[in-house]
Amino acid sequence: MPDDTLLRLAPRVGASLPSWREVVAYLRDSGRPTAIDVLRSARATGRPVLQPRCGVGGHEEMLALLRHLDTAAAPGMLSVTIDSHTRLGHFVTAARELRTDPGRLNGYPLVAHGWARGRELTESVRVPLEVRHGSPDARELFASALAAGISSFEGGGIGYNLPYSKDVPLAESLSAWQRVDAVTAALAAEGVVLERELFGTLTAVLVPPSVSLACTLLEAVLATEQGVRSVSIAYPQGGEIHQDVAALRAITLLCERYLPQDTEVFPVLHVFMGVFPRDRAAADALVFHGALTGRLGGATKVITKTRDEAWGIPSAEANALGLITSAVATSPLLDFIRLDEARIAEETAWILTEVAELVEPLLAARDRVAAVCAAFASGALDVPFSASRNARAAVLPARDPGGAIRYLSPGGLPFSASTLRRNRELLADRAGRGDVTDVTGVVADINHFADAIPVRTPEVSQR
Ligand code: 5AD
């Protein structure tokens, strides 16, 4: 790769960054473990890497937060969660907020702080960092993250567009992420394998496993077209453990089936991303349940949650506690726990079938980017509850009596008669879960964990 790689990727910030050669050397030769190093050794142990989200506006405050989490909770990786202005490319606004009131930023404005401060973050803790954001076009942020020595980057052209933006055409976000992926592949050729994590959580509201997995799989296919050979596929905990374990196991099977054989794949679980209980002990139970689900499903990494989730961005203390609760849930002491393997196998087979029905017509196309755009336009791919103009949001999910997420209405998804029949049958008896033909049943399903975890605690509804 010629030395102007970063400038061509990121015309706005590229000129202020070190040269490509220097950035590669910093990532490769620092002696610090990279995200991929941590994931590979976690895979060998069978116990997931635990990683929190974290990001505050001020630089000193961010350093203090990272150091606190590193020492108080010994995570496997840490995050640099980016603020909303930076996510949308509004670097000047982010810089102004930083000068006037950094406390108003909902994350760390990496571009405004600049790559040199980013390196201070990298050097401040023992573990590798990941940039987590939500940008439909992340080219400038990606270049800044690389220059900062950050070895993991989240996002993709579907999952970082439809849930986050109202009106960014998919063709634009997919093409911006192709550039990110091409540079990821160029780095690998220089001996620096990044973690590229694909955000399957989408809108985080009742996302059926096959919708999530179809979207991340298509992003992964597009990434491999650009030369990427290592992907993390993230899946959001729905809450029914057999279904979630099946979905996590399906990730490996789908990637074996649809990605080039030399692709390395890490399944990642996002602990429940929907509405959390306000009761902090009940929230702890859900945090625990999520981490345990990740371990039983063979996730290489779990993105943790906290007891503060229902109340907003977590305090540093709550964040550390979420990591500790997750460490407890993934401890060898609980290795005796066994699930109903026959039930998981059946769920897995159906997930594979549903994903095949969604993605195979698109994979057959010569121009897969165009096929994905056309599928979202027609509703043949869809994201429930998406506010984007670029998805139909015609799919309506609902929970079955056991809490698993099914298709109440498939919208325009091209499912076979047998898939539709199974979903219909599973939802036929909702056993008092509310009438899904009116909105109260859907709201009850969305609030599945919000008010119904039976943990007795004197702390209810305090703050
Ligand atoms: N620090 C910690 N967590 C964050 N989240 C969003 N921004 C931050 C931040 N700056 C979390 C939310 C929610 C998820 C979407 O991301 O609390 O759990």
Side-chain angles (χ1 to χ4, degrees), residues 238-262:
E240 200 291 303
I241 198 162
H242 303 87
Q243 183 178 45
D244 288 331
V245 165
L248 284 167
R249 293 189 187 164
I251 289 171
T252 311
L253 301 170
L254 288 165
C255 291
E256 277 170 11
R257 190 182 285 181
Y258 297 111
L259 300 184
Q261 286 310 301
D262 56 345

Side-chain angles (χ1 to χ4, degrees), residues 53-55 81 106-107 273 305 309 312-314:
R53 297 184 178 80
C54 59
T81 300
N106 63 352
M273 294 287 280
K305 280 274 177 160
E309 174 62 19
I313 290 178

Side-chain angles (χ1 to χ4, degrees), residues 207-251:
V207 178
S210 51
V211 161
S212 167
L213 296 180
C215 290
T216 44
L217 183 65
L218 289 164
E219 288 175 336
V221 167
L222 298 179
T224 59
E225 283 182 357
Q226 299 301 314
V228 172
R229 284 297 179 273
S230 182
V231 288
S232 290
I233 305 257
Y235 163 81
Q237 180 191 12
E240 200 291 303
I241 198 162
H242 303 87
Q243 183 178 45
D244 288 331
V245 165
L248 284 167
R249 293 189 187 164
I251 289 171

Side-chain angles (χ1 to χ4, degrees), residues 32 191 252 352 410 450:
R32 264 186 304 281
T252 311
L352 295 176

Side-chain angles (χ1 to χ4, degrees), residues 293-332:
T293 299
R295 196 192 62 70
L296 291 171
T300 316
K301 181 166 87 168
V302 171
I303 306 298
T304 59
K305 280 274 177 160
T306 77
R307 45 168 40 206
D308 277 0
E309 174 62 19
W311 302 92
I313 290 178
S315 68
E317 292 71 28
N319 217 341
L321 195 57
L323 281 161
I324 291 167
T325 302
S326 304
V328 171
T330 53
S331 99

Side-chain angles (χ1 to χ4, degrees), residues 141-421:
L141 179 60
F142 181 58
S144 306
L146 294 180
I150 294 176
S151 59
S152 173
F153 199 73
E154 187 187 35
I158 301 171
Y160 263 16
N161 179 342
L162 299 178
Y164 288 101
S165 304
K166 204 167 168 63
D167 210 6
V168 177
L170 270 165
E172 273 176 31
S173 58
L174 289 167
S175 125
W177 283 92
Q178 282 180 311
R179 296 283 296 121
V180 168
D181 287 329
V183 172
T184 301
L187 268 177
E190 302 280 356
V192 181
V193 180
L194 294 181
E195 181 190 24
R196 274 286 293 111
E197 183 182 334
L198 304 174
F199 181 70
T201 291
L202 300 171
T203 48
V205 185
L206 294 177
V207 178
S210 51
V211 161
S212 167
L213 296 180
C215 290
T216 44
L217 183 65
L218 289 164
E219 288 175 336
V221 167
L222 298 179
T224 59
E225 283 182 357
Q226 299 301 314
V228 172
R229 284 297 179 273
S230 182
V231 288
S232 290
I233 305 257
Y235 163 81
Q237 180 191 12
E240 200 291 303
I241 198 162
H242 303 87
Q243 183 178 45
D244 288 331
V245 165
L248 284 167
R249 293 189 187 164
I251 289 171
T252 311
L253 301 170
L254 288 165
C255 291
E256 277 170 11
R257 190 182 285 181
Y258 297 111
L259 300 184
Q261 286 310 301
D262 56 345
T263 310
E264 173 180 55
V265 176
F266 300 107
V268 173
L269 182 76
H270 287 193
V271 173
F272 191 64
M273 294 287 280
V275 189
F276 247 68
R278 289 164 171 257
D279 180 319
R280 288 192 167 77
D284 283 340
L286 189 49
V287 170
F288 184 104
H289 187 256
L292 179 62
T293 299
R295 196 192 62 70
L296 291 171
T300 316
K301 181 166 87 168
V302 171
I303 306 298
T304 59
K305 280 274 177 160
T306 77
R307 45 168 40 206
D308 277 0
E309 174 62 19
W311 302 92
I313 290 178
S315 68
E317 292 71 28
N319 217 341
L321 195 57
L323 281 161
I324 291 167
T325 302
S326 304
V328 171
T330 53
S331 99
L333 201 61
L334 301 181
D335 282 354
F336 67 91
I337 294 176
R338 295 282 177 274
L339 298 174
D340 179 344
E341 285 295 331
R343 191 165 157 193
I344 292 169
E346 190 192 347
E347 286 287 349
T348 307
W350 278 103
I351 289 171
L352 295 176
T353 301
E354 289 181 2
V355 174
E357 289 171 5
L358 295 174
V359 304
E360 283 184 6
L362 309 175
L363 294 179
R366 222 154 42 92
D367 182 343
R368 283 145 165 192
V369 169
V372 168
C373 296
F376 275 107
S378 74
L381 278 176
D382 207 352
V383 173
F385 309 108
S386 168
S388 170
R389 285 181 220 282
N390 301 294
R392 289 284 179 95
V395 179
L396 191 59
R399 291 188 187 272
D400 75 9
I405 300 170
R406 309 296 180 192
Y407 294 95
L408 179 69
S409 163
L413 300 180
F415 285 138
S416 64
S418 55
T419 293
L420 293 174
R421 186 175 341 106

